[in-house]
């Protein structure tokens, strides 16, 4: 994310915005605010709004991967970066459980041997599915970058058509669950996004260079996700097959999620953030966003923090909107502070080793 010696504030801002969106998704779904489909819209209008908010946030994970691919495709591969990622994940995976035990939030009887194995081996057990998929993508990055560099524009376009036809278009149009579909929760999907990001870096998508086009496509994609979901559930009361579409629309590899993510990426790609205090603040905060994810998505925390913050009290109420904003800000602030401390510990440990 660097331009010269400085990180590009527009992409760093997208990383922060994407993390706010991810926390919002977890609040809405795991906090029970976005009640499961189907439900009569007139009986739970707040739930309908919650699913609209989720539609605008569902693109966040794809945006995160697009940012990484956009820069990794032209960056030198560093094994130390993979090691750093592993150590950062282990820091949270291993240290959160003892902290919760010491504070009495979790009792020793609640954890068995298999829990501790999961804490010690978070990648193989997919304790953090995103971290596992991202690590594999990073290990493949030099091969993908070399291949993208060698390919002609036309060949790369054909490859992208095949990739997205298999991983996205097929599941978007077929009214059944596919055995190979992981809903975008795997490294295979991340590799597709990496190739897409590489294409954007090398050739771009000229139509999206206009901010009005990019912002409009993002808004349209998200609204269509929401409208089609409501329609599918309405029809699903009579034809069960259509309920499938409501479930699939809110998955990372759905075609509308892809168009929404790429267009939002372009909104920030072509954004000009004026140099000054705001840009510097963005650059300082952005490196800690992954730590925010690792803290609030620890398996002992991911279904609890919404309860700790009282999400149940605003369920099926429009009060969830201000409560959501306060909770997301609080989680981001705490996660940033914790990862700031983690980064200082790692820095001191690195200096001692030298």
């Amino acid at each position: 994310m660097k331009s010269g010696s400085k990180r590009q504030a527009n992409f760093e801002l997208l990383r922060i915005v994407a993390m706010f969106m991810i926390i919002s998704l977890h609040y809405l779904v795991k906090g029970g605010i976005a009640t499961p489909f189907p439900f009569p819209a007139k009986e739970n209008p707040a739930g309908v709004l919650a699913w609209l908010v989720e539609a605008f946030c569902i693109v966040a994970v794809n945006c995160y991967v697009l940012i990484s691919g956009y820069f990794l495709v032209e960056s030198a591969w560093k094994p130390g970066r993979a090691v750093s990622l592993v150590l950062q994940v282990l820091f949270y995976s291993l240290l959160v459980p003892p902290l919760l035990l010491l504070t009495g939030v979790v009792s020793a009887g609640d954890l068995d041997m298999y829990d501790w194995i999961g804490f010690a081996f978070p990648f193989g057990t997919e304790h953090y599915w995103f971290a596992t998929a991202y690590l594999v993508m990073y290990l493949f990055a030099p091969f993908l970058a070399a291949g993208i560099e060698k390919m002609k524009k036309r060949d790369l376009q054909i490859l992208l058509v095949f990739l997205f036809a298999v991983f996205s278009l097929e599941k978007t149009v077929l009214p059944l669950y596919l055995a190979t579909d992981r809903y975008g929760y795997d490294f295979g999907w991340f590799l597709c996004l990496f190739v897409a990001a590489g294409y954007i870096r090398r050739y771009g998508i000229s139509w999206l260079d206009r901010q009005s086009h990019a912002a409009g496509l993002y808004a349209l994609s998200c609204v269509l996700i929401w409208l089609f979901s409501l329609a599918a559930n309405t029809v699903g009361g009579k034809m069960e097959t259509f309920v499938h579409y409501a479930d699939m629309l809110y998955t990372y590899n759905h075609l509308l999620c892809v168009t929404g993510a790429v267009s939002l990426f372009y909104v920030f790609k072509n954004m000009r953030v004026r140099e000054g205090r705001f840009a510097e603040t963005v650059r300082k905060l952005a490196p800690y966003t992954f730590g925010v994810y690792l803290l609030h998505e620890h398996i002992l925390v991911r279904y609890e923090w919404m309860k700790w913050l009282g999400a149940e009290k605003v369920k099926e109420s429009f009060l969830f909107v201000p409560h959501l904003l306060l909770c997301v800000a609080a989680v981001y602030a705490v996660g940033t502070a914790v990862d700031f401390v983690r980064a200082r510990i790692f820095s001191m440990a690195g200096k001692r080793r030298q």
Side-chain angles (χ1 to χ4, degrees), residues 69-331:
Y70 186 80
F71 288 94
L72 287 174
V73 75
E74 293 191 359
S75 301
W77 189 81
K78 300 176 181 178
R81 186 168 178 178
V83 173
S84 178
L85 172 65
V86 171
L87 292 177
Q88 186 177 3
V89 172
L90 287 172
F91 177 87
Y92 287 93
S93 181
L94 290 172
L95 293 185
V96 168
L99 180 61
L100 295 180
L101 287 170
L102 288 172
T103 55
V105 176
V106 174
S107 63
D110 293 332
L111 303 176
D112 58 26
M113 179 183 68
Y114 295 102
D115 291 316
W116 289 104
I117 290 174
F119 302 149
F121 299 95
F123 292 96
T125 59
E126 285 200 330
H127 181 151
Y128 298 104
W129 74 265
F130 178 90
T132 301
Y134 188 90
L135 176 63
V136 175
M137 182 194 75
Y138 187 75
L139 297 178
F140 274 94
F143 304 102
L144 293 173
I148 292 170
E149 177 67 26
K150 294 290 184 181
M151 294 183 74
K152 296 179 181 178
K153 181 179 180 180
R154 180 65 175 170
D155 292 337
L156 190 54
Q157 289 174 335
I158 293 172
L159 174 61
L160 282 170
V161 168
F162 276 113
L163 285 175
F164 282 93
V166 172
F167 284 90
S168 180
L169 181 61
E170 186 178 28
K171 66 86 56 75
T172 298
V173 299
L174 293 179
L176 70 158
Y177 294 92
L178 302 176
T180 57
D181 184 18
R182 291 288 305 278
Y183 312 145
Y185 291 87
D186 64 337
F187 69 87
W189 177 241
F190 281 24
L191 298 183
C192 292
L193 292 174
F194 187 104
V195 176
Y199 178 86
I200 292 171
R201 184 63 185 261
R202 292 198 67 190
Y203 303 109
I205 304 173
S206 58
W207 188 82
L208 289 175
D209 279 325
R210 290 187 62 176
Q211 286 290 66
S212 58
H213 289 174
L217 181 58
Y218 166 62
L220 177 62
S221 298
C222 297
V223 169
L224 287 178
I225 289 173
W226 179 65
L227 288 176
F228 286 160
S229 293
L230 291 178
N233 277 281
T234 301
V235 179
K238 299 178 180 179
M239 298 177 64
E240 189 175 347
T241 300
F242 282 91
V243 177
H244 163 81
Y245 286 110
D247 295 334
M248 291 301 101
L249 282 154
Y250 286 90
T251 54
Y252 300 135
N253 58 345
H254 190 280
L255 191 59
L256 286 174
C257 189
V258 175
T259 58
V262 171
S263 53
L264 183 62
F265 177 84
Y266 257 88
V267 169
F268 282 85
K269 173 182 176 293
N270 295 322
M271 180 184 294
R272 296 293 174 261
V273 179
R274 183 181 299 177
E275 288 300 328
R277 185 174 298 177
F278 177 74
E280 288 304 314
T281 300
V282 166
R283 291 190 182 101
K284 289 178 180 178
L285 291 176
Y288 306 115
T289 53
F290 188 53
V292 175
Y293 163 76
L294 293 174
L295 179 63
H296 88 277
E297 265 295 282
H298 191 282
I299 197 167
L300 297 180
V301 177
R302 66 177 58 156
Y303 292 103
E304 303 300 323
W305 65 265
M306 294 78 66
K307 299 176 185 177
W308 299 339
L309 296 176
E312 287 285 332
K313 297 177 182 178
V314 296
K315 188 176 181 180
E316 298 187 8
S317 165
F318 287 111
L319 289 174
F320 87 83
V321 176
H323 191 263
L324 164 68
L325 297 175
L326 289 172
C327 289
V328 170
V331 170

